[in-house]
Amino acid sequence: MWRNRSLGAIFVLIITVALAQAQQPNSCVDCHSALEGELHVTQEQFAQDIHAQKGLTCASCHGGDPSKTDDSAMSKAAGFKGKIERAGVPKLCGSCHSDPAFMRQYNPSLRTDQFSQYQTSIHGKRQAAGDTKVAVCTDCHGVHDLRPASDTRSKVHPLNIATTCSRCHADAEYMATYKIPTNQFADYKTSVHHEALVERGDLSAPTCTTCHGNHGATPPGVGSVANVCSTCHVFQAQLFEASPHKAAFASAGLPGCVTCHSNHGISKPSDAMLGTSAHSVCTNCHTQGDAGYKAAGDMQQQISGLETSIVRSDRILSQAESSGMEVSQPRLELDQARDALTKARVTVHTFAAHPVRADVDSGLKITTKTYGEGEGALRERDYRRTGLGMSLVAIVFVVVALRLYIKEIEKNQ
Amino acid sequence: MAPLARVRNWLDERFGWDELLAPLRHKTVPIHRYSYWYFLGGITLFLFGVQVCTGILLLLYYRPSANEAFESVQYLMTQVKFGWLVRSVHSWAANLMILTAFLHMFSVVFLRAYRKPRELTWVSGMLLLFLAMGFGFSGYLLPWNTLAFFATKVGTDIAGQVPFVGHRTMIFLRGGEEVTGATLSRFFGFHVAVLPGLTTLLVGVHLLLIQRFGISVPARIEPEWRELPQEKREMRFFPSFLLRELMAWYIALGVLGALAAFSPWGLGTKADPFAPAPAGIKPEWYFLFMFQTLKLIPAKLGLLDGEVVGILTFSLAGLIWLLVPFLDGTKRTQRLVTGAAMFVVAYMGMMTAYGYVAK
């Protein structure tokens, strides 16, 4: 009985506290929910904000006292700040987000160098110089309904970052004073990176901030492009570093990877980029007779040779498979030839024919074997069918003989 | 004296061989326009024999564990001389055996061969058909490939829906809550020991009953022969019918060989219990009409679970079907049974076809 009464009392207490919390007055939202335009903020909207969820209130940024319902709620003497000027936004956000001790209470894993990074960024530098058009924290992260970057509805979720950046960087009129191109977003949407991120949902695929940085956003210089790409394309970058192109590009003032692959509109590399045809990027610099021209032709020929050989093996194995032959083992081996082809395509970044040949040869060895196995499977199929034909002849012979024998014995009965 | 005759004499002196074979010599088979249906039972028996022989050969290489089953079948099909033939013939013969068993069963229904005194012949035959389906269900899992794994999962899930005993049955079949290596071991045990034992026993009973009661004259033919006794024709079982049956067996062997050579039974990919189920998982064709029906039944039928209603309906229908000879008394019930059989054939055919085209 006593236990039941105690449980009842605890339940009533919880309900009372919850109701008291729910009914706590917030004069900011009471008024702002009735206002229009950028001053419009509702309780529902703010409830979605990560700050509200962590227990912060309007007063945490804007000062004042939401519990008061008269003018004293916005008393400047009591610390009311009102609207935060754009110029003051980074510093205000940084007052908490740059304080490791403070942030540890909410999210110990969150970095606290955003403000210092921002100050080194092109946005931060221009903002410090008095440019009010450049991006501040709220332009990218939003305000009053700010969500963590892991939330797909967040403006800084990987799937949304490019759109967020494009709000300024694709606006030719807005960007006119900076004299920089505004086609980056349009180009990016045609790129293999965009396809991987948006169409295939691969959140590890690069978006604007992957290459340019986020809080410290700045365009990578000519010398550092290869470093940026190498964060993902490690092997290609290592081979490029050791290749003759490294020094040649540096002396010509050409950015590493971008020279052949472009930047924002980077398309899926194809073997046509290699070699000496009109579509090749090698012929942009190399001309007939030079060593690079010859190496480009050799590499292209070897790679296309391996590809043709893989297709040939695949075709014969498919033919055997469609005849019902078990060829899963050669199929598995053929995957290794495909791996060798991929490796050869990476080795192209040595810009020398010899290392590419080594990879291609290992692939060709496998395709020769798998093609032979395909041929063997087809021979076995024909052998089976011949065997069947002979068996059927024997069966027909026995059936006819039986029929004749039955006729014979029934004639005598 | 010829060597064969000497052996025969030797056996006759000791076992009374001629006396033992006497019933076979006196056994006759009616000759009429439906006689060809008589071959189906024999062909089914022949295919069962093929299953036993090829099954024993498969046992020489098959390893019943989740880690080795798939690889052992793959090895058998690619490395062992004529391993592909043995496995393909085993798989094709299994399917043909169930097909001929179904055809045999329907021929018996339409010719009303189950009527007195052959009620128990029908019951033993129906039980053999259920056992054949059990062979199919247990054997399907043994190569441990993706399709078989998920089809077994779905099949045992359905068994688990039966009220009161369903969950226990499912645990018994799976050897646990999930389809694992333990399920494979059990299915292997059922497939190579329990089911063959029961089948051999029932085949013996079935053949004994056929021998005891003779071969039925169809209900339509019987009055014709009564009216015109001169029309009644018979052939001796031994050797006339048996030699004809032998011809049918040879033809069945040719069909099996052609299927194995032109459409060897595939192996698929090894089962991965952690992979998601591939789209369009379907059971073997002889379960498809039931599977498709269960898919079409709404989740809820009033207060009852739709799937449970479906399973109970099929169980009840199976039980009624088993008891058909005991229900077939008056002219009215005879017509009802024939009508029901026609409906069942049409329903199974349509639902199986629908199951194949449906996604």
Side-chain angles (χ1 to χ4, degrees):
Chain A
M1 179 67 89
W2 181 86
R3 197 165 165 236
N4 283 348
R5 278 186 187 168
S6 303
L7 283 173
I10 291 167
F11 179 71
V12 169
L13 187 68
I14 290 169
I15 295 291
T16 312
V17 170
L19 283 173
Q21 289 255 328
Q23 286 166 3
Q24 215 167 39
N26 186 337
S27 57
C28 309
V29 176
D30 289 346
C31 292
H32 279 270
S33 58
L35 296 176
E36 288 182 353
E38 59 178 12
L39 292 173
H40 179 75
V41 182
T42 63
Q43 183 59 48
E44 292 75 29
Q45 189 187 356
F46 188 55
Q48 300 290 318
D49 194 294
I50 183 70
H51 297 114
Q53 287 166 12
K54 297 285 182 188
L56 274 70
T57 65
C58 310
S60 305
C61 295
H62 296 282
D65 186 352
S67 65
K68 300 270 170 60
T69 52
D70 55 14
D71 284 351
S72 65
M74 297 195 292
S75 160
K76 293 216 167 161
F80 179 69
K81 295 176 204 163
K83 179 177 164 58
I84 313 296
E85 291 304 320
R86 283 179 64 78
V89 168
K91 203 170 174 187
L92 176 69
C93 297
S95 64
C96 294
H97 281 273
S98 299
D99 183 347
F102 181 78
M103 292 305 294
R104 206 174 295 131
Q105 303 171 70
Y106 301 101
N107 186 354
S109 65
L110 200 67
R111 293 171 64 153
T112 51
D113 61 347
Q114 298 95 331
F115 183 55
S116 59
Q117 278 207 25
Y118 179 74
Q119 285 173 309
T120 67
S121 74
I122 196 81
H123 295 140
K125 283 177 186 167
R126 282 190 171 275
Q127 201 250 5
D131 185 346
T132 54
K133 283 172 70 181
V134 289
V136 295
C137 314
T138 49
D139 290 315
C140 300
H141 290 277
V143 64
H144 300 136
D145 60 351
L146 200 150
R147 293 177 169 93
S150 55
D151 187 327
T152 48
R153 293 167 298 175
S154 165
K155 290 177 176 178
V156 291
H157 182 270
L159 287 172
N160 306 327
I161 283 178
T163 309
T164 300
C165 299
S166 75
R167 281 173 45 231
C168 298
H169 282 274
D171 186 339
E173 198 183 326
Y174 191 79
M175 298 301 290
T177 48
Y178 303 108
K179 295 187 172 49
I180 59 171
T182 50
N183 60 348
Q184 301 96 329
F185 184 55
D187 282 354
Y188 175 70
K189 283 205 286 188
T190 66
S191 75
V192 68
H193 291 150
H194 180 269
E195 183 202 320
L197 180 67
V198 178
E199 289 174 29
R200 283 193 269 130
D202 179 358
L203 296 184
S204 67
T207 181
C208 313
T209 52
T210 317
C211 302
H212 294 280
N214 42 28
H215 302 103
T218 185
V222 166
S224 60
V225 165
N227 299 337
V228 170
C229 301
S230 74
T231 53
C232 298
H233 301 280
V234 181
F235 295 115
Q236 289 90 335
Q238 279 175 357
L239 297 172
F240 176 80
E241 284 293 314
S243 79
H245 276 175
K246 164 81 174 163
F249 280 21
S251 64
L254 294 169
C257 315
V258 170
T259 305
C260 300
H261 293 281
S262 90
N263 47 15
H264 301 107
I266 188 161
S267 56
K268 190 173 182 178
S270 75
D271 294 337
M273 289 171 70
L274 194 63
T276 53
S277 73
H279 304 291
S280 152
V281 291
C282 309
T283 50
N284 292 346
C285 301
H286 293 286
T287 51
Q288 199 163 12
D290 73 27
Y293 189 90
K294 187 175 178 306
D298 279 356
M299 288 189 290
Q300 204 278 334
Q301 210 175 353
Q302 285 166 32
I303 284 178
S304 87
L306 178 55
E307 194 174 23
T308 309
S309 187
I310 289 172
V311 171
R312 192 165 152 259
S313 285
D314 188 54
R315 201 175 294 141
I316 197 165
L317 290 176
S318 297
Q319 201 185 340
E321 214 164 31
S322 64
S323 309
M325 305 303 294
E326 166 60 29
V327 287
S328 58
Q329 194 55 39
R331 278 234 171 273
L332 211 63
E333 288 167 19
L334 195 60
D335 282 344
Q336 289 170 12
R338 289 195 180 92
D339 291 345
L341 179 64
T342 306
K343 189 161 180 280
R345 283 171 174 155
V346 172
T347 309
V348 161
H349 295 90
T350 58
F351 307 105
H354 180 66
V356 175
R357 180 170 293 130
D359 291 334
V360 167
D361 283 350
S362 75
L364 285 173
K365 210 167 150 186
I366 297 166
T367 54
T368 308
K369 184 168 178 273
T370 51
Y371 187 80
E373 284 168 326
E375 281 184 322
L378 289 181
R379 269 199 305 276
E380 169 71 16
R381 178 201 66 182
D382 295 342
Y383 170 72
R384 290 179 187 185
R385 290 181 181 179
T386 312
L388 169 75
M390 288 160 70
S391 309
L392 288 181
V393 168
I395 286 172
V396 169
F397 177 77
V398 172
V399 169
V400 171
L402 277 171
R403 184 73 199 112
L404 293 173
Y405 179 63
I406 292 167
K407 222 171 173 179
E408 182 65 26
I409 57 172
E410 285 180 354
K411 198 167 70 182
N412 298 333
Q413 278 169 9
Chain B
M1 194 185 285
L4 208 63
R6 282 171 67 185
V7 171
R8 190 189 159 126
N9 273 349
W10 190 89
L11 286 171
D12 198 30
E13 277 173 20
R14 281 153 187 85
F15 305 106
W17 189 247
D18 282 345
E19 206 177 316
L20 275 174
L21 292 179
L24 272 182
R25 288 213 188 83
H26 299 134
K27 192 177 165 68
T28 55
V29 177
I31 304 174
H32 47 77
R33 58 184 179 275
Y34 303 119
S35 289
Y36 48 87
W37 290 109
Y38 293 146
F39 292 102
L40 281 169
I43 294 173
T44 309
L45 181 66
F46 165 72
L47 291 169
F48 177 67
V50 171
Q51 288 299 93
V52 173
C53 297
T54 51
I56 290 169
L57 290 175
L58 289 176
L59 272 176
L60 301 180
Y61 289 92
Y62 181 72
R63 290 193 291 270
S65 79
N67 289 334
E68 296 178 299
F70 181 85
E71 285 78 4
S72 66
V73 179
Q74 193 176 41
Y75 177 81
L76 176 93
M77 288 178 71
T78 54
Q79 307 297 320
V80 177
K81 201 88 180 155
F82 293 110
W84 64 273
L85 183 65
V86 173
R87 199 230 161 189
S88 277
V89 166
H90 190 76
S91 302
W92 274 115
N95 282 273
L96 288 184
M97 184 180 83
I98 292 176
L99 178 70
T100 53
F102 265 110
L103 292 175
H104 181 46
M105 182 264 286
F106 281 116
S107 73
V108 168
V109 173
F110 287 118
L111 298 176
R112 294 188 46 241
Y114 51 71
R115 63 197 191 282
K116 190 181 171 184
R118 298 183 180 82
E119 294 94 333
L120 289 180
T121 319
W122 163 266
V123 172
S124 62
M126 277 303 292
L127 293 177
L128 278 169
L129 178 63
F130 293 148
L131 284 175
M133 291 168 85
F135 264 118
F137 187 61
S138 56
Y140 193 49
L141 179 69
L142 300 188
W144 199 247
N145 59 28
T146 305
L147 277 181
F149 176 84
F150 286 104
T152 304
K153 205 169 159 62
V154 173
T156 46
D157 267 340
I158 291 172
Q161 297 295 316
V162 178
F164 307 116
V165 293
H167 188 68
R168 282 166 195 270
T169 309
M170 189 190 80
I171 297 289
F172 171 71
L173 289 172
R174 289 183 175 177
E177 287 286 349
E178 295 296 329
V179 175
T180 60
T183 321
L184 183 66
S185 301
R186 281 178 183 225
F187 274 41
F188 178 69
F190 297 147
H191 195 76
V192 304
V194 180
L195 294 174
L198 289 173
T199 307
T200 308
L201 191 74
L202 268 175
V203 165
V205 170
H206 197 67
L207 292 177
L208 196 71
L209 290 170
I210 293 167
Q211 176 57 35
R212 180 74 187 86
F213 300 121
I215 292 173
S216 152
V217 178
R220 284 183 194 173
I221 302 290
E222 225 171 24
E224 290 175 20
W225 281 4
R226 242 195 327 266
E227 220 169 284
L228 299 164
Q230 68 276 18
E231 291 286 309
K232 186 176 174 181
R233 288 165 62 220
E234 283 177 331
M235 74 168 85
R236 282 165 63 190
F237 178 82
F238 185 82
S240 295
F241 184 79
L242 199 62
L243 287 172
R244 283 181 171 84
E245 186 76 58
L246 198 61
M247 281 168 63
W249 291 5
Y250 265 102
I251 292 166
L253 190 67
V255 171
L256 270 181
L259 286 169
F262 281 97
S263 185
W265 205 264
L267 182 57
T269 53
K270 187 176 178 175
D272 177 2
F274 300 108
I281 282 287
K282 285 170 191 167
E284 287 277 68
W285 62 268
Y286 38 89
F287 291 118
L288 201 53
F289 73 98
M290 287 189 272
F291 178 75
Q292 195 59 29
T293 307
L294 293 179
K295 266 173 76 177
L296 291 176
I297 297 176
K300 283 278 170 197
L301 285 172
L303 291 173
L304 299 168
D305 189 277
E307 198 167 64
V308 172
V309 173
I311 293 165
L312 290 178
T313 309
F314 276 121
S315 307
L316 189 67
L319 186 67
I320 293 172
W321 202 245
L322 186 72
L323 301 175
V324 152
F326 307 101
L327 307 172
D328 185 359
T330 62
K331 282 253 182 235
R332 192 167 161 270
T333 51
Q334 285 168 14
R335 276 202 298 272
L336 202 68
V337 168
T338 309
M342 287 163 79
F343 170 77
V344 169
V345 171
Y347 184 81
M348 284 174 71
M350 279 193 299
M351 272 302 179
T352 305
Y354 182 35
Y356 265 101
V357 293
K359 287 186 178 170

